[in-house]
Amino acid sequence: MAVRKQEVTGGTHTAPKMADLADRHELYEESVQCVEEECEFITHTFQKIRGRVPASLREDFCGTASACCEWVRQSPGHTAIGVDYDSEVLAWGRKNRIERLSEEQQSRIQLIESDVLDVQAKAVDAVGAFNFSYFIFQRREVMLQYFRSVHEALVTDGIFFLDAFGGYEAFEEMKEKTKYDNFTYIWEQASYAPVTGEMTCYIHFKFPDGSKMKRAFEYTWRLWTLPELLEMLTEVGFRNPTVYWEGTDEDGEGDGVFTPDGKGEADAGWIAYLVAEK
Ligand SMILES: C[S@@+](CC[C@H](N)C(=O)[O-])C[C@H]1O[C@@H](n2cnc3c(N)ncnc32)[C@H](O)[C@@H]1O
């Protein structure tokens, strides 16, 4: 997942600083990912649409394969395939996530080191591509190639699950800080080119002792819009591609409940799921 090595600043010559001791994959998972919610959304939505529980998942751009681990924990009938082309992150996931499962659970996960565009794997009930990883495909014909390959990788009643982000702040060059117990997560939208749609983003981490892990992760993406994505999903043969929009609580904050929505709202920043049926 990382395209950069850990770049640590603020350390002294003597005692290691918090940034030296921290693990960027652990920090990433704590601040960015919620695999329980992803798996719950896939299961609940699939069941509602198809009337059965999905058993097999392919997690594309799997990184540390945490969603695969969460998936196989659900029942002895659940299987998962994780696909990522970065051997470093796969090795980290194997050692720090998969090996913590029981042997029986481990036997139901297959990790494949491959570009998702080329991967050869068994057909599955659901394919998930989360945290916007597929925005790496900047050209329309490459995105179509990816969507087409996912369509082929699904069983006859399979479903493709993705997420997307947007809102008017998504087009800004900005930094946003979020405080966690032992670190601050910094999301930087470093550049955005309106003509191509290309954006470069970084994740940095800052620690209470003043040390920093700069550019722990870097992403060069095209900021796709929902209508473009829905049109491409339709074009490759998905039926009824639908955006699931997040509801709000009494304070107007996102409530984590996503429901089908044909319009959405002109929020400053939103995250939504896309659900596309084979
Ligand atoms: C943003 S991280 C996503 C990690 C995790 N799945 C999540 O939801 O947070 C993107 C991951 O996609 C992988 N990746 C990027 N392009 C890829 C491709 N074409 N094929 C396979 N993996 C790719 C990177 O190595 C990285 O681990």
Side-chain angles (χ1 to χ4, degrees), residues 1 28 32-33 38 59-63 83-86 89 114-116 130-131 133 136-137 219 221:
M1 133 181 13
Y28 174 91
V32 175
Q33 255 188 318
E38 288 167 7
E59 182 191 8
D60 278 355
F61 311 95
C62 69
V83 185
D84 201 291
Y85 64 15
D86 181 351
V89 72
S114 169
D115 193 312
V116 296
F130 294 120
N131 280 314
S133 312
I136 198 165
F137 301 132
Y219 306 106
W221 287 335

Side-chain angles (χ1 to χ4, degrees), residues 112-180:
I112 304 179
E113 184 183 329
S114 169
D115 193 312
V116 296
L117 292 172
D118 305 323
V119 65
Q120 299 290 326
K122 269 176 74 175
V124 287
D125 293 332
V127 171
F130 294 120
N131 280 314
F132 332 114
S133 312
Y134 65 101
F135 282 10
I136 198 165
F137 301 132
Q138 295 198 35
R139 289 192 1 251
R140 195 173 186 281
E141 61 268 32
V142 181
M143 191 65 89
L144 287 171
Q145 184 190 341
Y146 173 56
F147 285 174
R148 206 171 278 122
S149 72
V150 171
H151 191 268
E152 282 166 18
L154 289 164
V155 299
T156 47
D157 67 344
I159 301 183
F160 185 22
F161 294 86
L162 311 105
D163 58 11
F165 75 103
Y168 50 88
E169 285 179 357
F171 297 90
E172 289 177 359
E173 294 172 347
M174 52 77 114
K175 273 188 193 172
E176 185 186 69
K177 295 182 184 179
T178 310
K179 272 196 184 310
Y180 289 84

Side-chain angles (χ1 to χ4, degrees):
M1 133 181 13
V3 285
R4 284 184 174 253
K5 289 183 84 178
Q6 253 172 237
E7 185 188 321
V8 174
T9 61
T12 68
H13 299 296
T14 50
K17 290 286 190 175
M18 293 179 85
D20 299 319
L21 301 171
D23 183 313
R24 65 199 177 104
H25 295 305
E26 295 280 5
L27 298 169
Y28 174 91
E29 287 195 2
E30 196 175 334
S31 45
V32 175
Q33 255 188 318
C34 188
V35 294
E36 294 83 0
E37 271 177 25
E38 288 167 7
C39 292
E40 160 69 25
F41 180 76
I42 292 173
T43 301
H44 177 82
T45 310
F46 193 105
Q47 197 166 11
K48 215 162 173 192
I49 296 172
R50 297 300 195 209
R52 70 177 182 95
V53 174
S56 52
L57 170 72
R58 192 179 98 191
E59 182 191 8
D60 278 355
F61 311 95
C62 69
T64 57
S66 282
C68 289
C69 294
E70 176 63 17
W71 189 259
V72 301
R73 275 194 288 262
Q74 295 182 78
S75 91
H78 278 71
T79 58
I81 300 169
V83 185
D84 201 291
Y85 64 15
D86 181 351
S87 57
E88 184 265 335
V89 72
L90 288 177
W92 192 97
R94 221 176 257 117
K95 179 161 178 273
N96 297 283
R97 294 291 174 263
I98 294 180
E99 285 178 13
R100 290 185 191 170
L101 299 172
S102 73
E103 277 192 15
E104 190 281 323
Q105 288 169 335
Q106 291 184 37
S107 73
R108 290 184 277 107
I109 297 185
Q110 181 191 9
L111 284 193
I112 304 179
E113 184 183 329
S114 169
D115 193 312
V116 296
L117 292 172
D118 305 323
V119 65
Q120 299 290 326
K122 269 176 74 175
V124 287
D125 293 332
V127 171
F130 294 120
N131 280 314
F132 332 114
S133 312
Y134 65 101
F135 282 10
I136 198 165
F137 301 132
Q138 295 198 35
R139 289 192 1 251
R140 195 173 186 281
E141 61 268 32
V142 181
M143 191 65 89
L144 287 171
Q145 184 190 341
Y146 173 56
F147 285 174
R148 206 171 278 122
S149 72
V150 171
H151 191 268
E152 282 166 18
L154 289 164
V155 299
T156 47
D157 67 344
I159 301 183
F160 185 22
F161 294 86
L162 311 105
D163 58 11
F165 75 103
Y168 50 88
E169 285 179 357
F171 297 90
E172 289 177 359
E173 294 172 347
M174 52 77 114
K175 273 188 193 172
E176 185 186 69
K177 295 182 184 179
T178 310
K179 272 196 184 310
Y180 289 84
D181 284 347
N182 284 316
F183 66 93
T184 300
Y185 162 88
I186 302 161
W187 171 252
E188 179 181 6
Q189 290 167 192
S191 69
Y192 174 70
V195 175
T196 61
E198 182 177 285
M199 71 189 312
T200 300
C201 304
Y202 301 109
I203 293 174
H204 316 282
F205 299 105
K206 196 175 166 198
F207 300 87
D209 64 358
S211 60
K212 291 176 189 161
M213 199 188 283
K214 283 190 177 175
R215 297 187 178 183
F217 297 94
E218 172 182 341
Y219 306 106
T220 304
W221 287 335
R222 172 161 167 187
L223 186 54
W224 290 94
T225 63
L226 292 172
E228 290 172 309
L229 295 167
L230 293 171
E231 282 166 13
M232 285 188 283
L233 288 164
T234 304
E235 194 171 324
V236 304
F238 282 103
R239 290 177 42 247
N240 195 28
T242 300
V243 173
Y244 282 60
W245 200 262
E246 191 174 14
T248 46
D249 60 21
E250 58 277 7
D251 302 323
E253 299 295 322
D255 64 1
V257 181
F258 291 81
T259 50
D261 193 326
K263 277 181 84 174
E265 282 169 42
D267 292 336
W270 49 258
I271 288 175
Y273 285 114
L274 286 95
V275 176
E277 300 161 32
K278 181 153 175 173

